[in-house]
Amino acid sequence: MAPTPAYALIATDLDGTLLRGDDTVSDRSLAALARVARAGARHLVVTGRPAPRVRALLADLGCAGLAVCGQGAQVYDAGTDRLLWSVRLDRELAETALGKIEAEVGQVYAAVDQDGVDGLTLIEPGYRMPHPTLPAVCVGRRDDLWTEPISKVLLRHATLSDDELAAVARAAVGSLATVTMSGPGTVELQPSGVTKATGLALAAERLGIGADRALAFGDMPNDIPMFDWAARGVAMADAHPELKAVADEITLSNEDDGVAVVLEGLFPAG
């Protein structure tokens, strides 16, 4: 009888972690994930991207099960193309939060991810998408961002760094929303109390797997709650210092197949 793997659940962030800079997954990473599946463990994508923006990637990964999207605000079933769980960000609260941030730092540029499996990403004039490959719809003015329910708001500032903007936003917003930083040019407001860990815990419960058998990979501060939840957290070589500070292990970068390197050691071939 084959030995039971040490970890039954492998949770991976996408951008800066499993994905290379060109939005692809390397053959080596795909092979490592195949080892995970053969050993009977589960791979779960846990990403800041909303469900509509991960369909193609999940297909490439051969994932027909669950994925945690929208910074934990969505648990998506790729097999049935439906949300099993989602939390919306109140649009009036979002507007209030933006006003509080702008009172501190001047104009910010905003975008929103609409809720739902077919939700759009809307951007107001002046906002630049951090991932040019991801589709977005330009609107004429900020009021147009609030026409449909949303899962989160994305923010950019003309001169402040991501760390500076996130710090100001946390102080200004308080309990109105959760502030996260998930990548270069990506400071976000999401429903209060919602993190990657909340979505991951819900998905893991559906799979019947506890946190004590979960291994998580990430690269940015928004992955900290996921590392806190999982038994072990592995940060990429070029991860944000805040995540490295709480990681149990540092692997190679996403361009050097850091996820695969760790999985190959845990899940032998054959």
Side-chain angles (χ1 to χ4, degrees), residues 11-251:
T12 64
D13 173 46
L14 287 178
D15 296 290
T17 302
L18 185 62
L19 293 181
R20 296 182 293 191
D22 61 358
D23 262 13
T24 61
V25 181
S26 72
D27 290 340
R28 183 177 181 182
S29 293
L30 289 172
L33 292 173
R35 291 190 188 192
V36 169
R38 286 195 298 271
R42 303 293 294 267
H43 172 225
L44 191 65
V45 165
V46 185
T47 178
R49 297 191 186 194
R53 305 288 91 82
V54 297
R55 279 196 187 100
L57 287 169
L58 293 176
D60 290 343
L61 291 168
C63 176
L66 303 183
V68 178
C69 306
Q71 303 293 11
Q74 300 172 329
V75 176
Y76 172 65
D77 186 338
T80 60
D81 190 30
R82 65 190 182 99
L83 291 175
L84 303 183
W85 182 80
S86 67
V87 180
R88 295 173 174 176
L89 176 59
D90 183 273
R91 286 168 281 178
E92 289 188 6
L93 284 182
E95 284 191 278
T96 300
L98 280 177
K100 288 179 175 292
I101 295 168
E102 290 186 321
E104 298 294 329
V105 299
Q107 184 176 16
V108 297
Y109 300 101
V112 300
D113 285 333
Q114 294 179 332
D115 189 37
V117 294
D118 295 312
L120 302 173
T121 297
L122 305 181
I123 62 176
E124 71 174 353
Y127 185 89
R128 292 182 296 106
M129 285 291 289
H131 297 285
T133 59
L134 295 179
V137 177
C138 298
V139 298
R141 56 199 180 100
R142 179 169 292 179
D143 286 349
D144 297 329
L145 298 176
W146 321 120
T147 56
E148 299 290 339
I150 63 173
S151 60
K152 65 179 178 180
V153 178
L154 300 90
L155 305 175
R156 301 198 77 161
H157 191 274
T159 59
L160 293 180
S161 70
D162 297 332
D163 288 290
E164 290 169 336
L165 179 56
V168 170
R170 289 190 185 100
V173 168
S175 62
L176 290 179
T178 297
V179 178
T180 61
M181 181 169 52
S182 60
T186 312
V187 175
E188 303 178 357
L189 307 179
Q190 59 200 69
S192 182
V194 171
T195 68
K196 282 191 173 184
T198 58
L200 176 55
L202 285 169
E205 183 179 10
R206 283 181 172 268
L207 297 173
I209 302 172
D212 60 326
R213 301 201 61 205
L215 172 67
F217 293 86
D219 72 310
M220 290 299 289
N222 65 322
D223 295 314
I224 292 175
M226 181 166 69
F227 278 27
D228 290 341
W229 181 86
R232 188 170 185 82
V234 181
M236 312 309 288
D238 49 359
H240 192 283
E242 289 181 17
L243 186 69
K244 284 185 173 181
V246 301
D248 298 297
E249 179 181 350
I250 309 296
T251 185

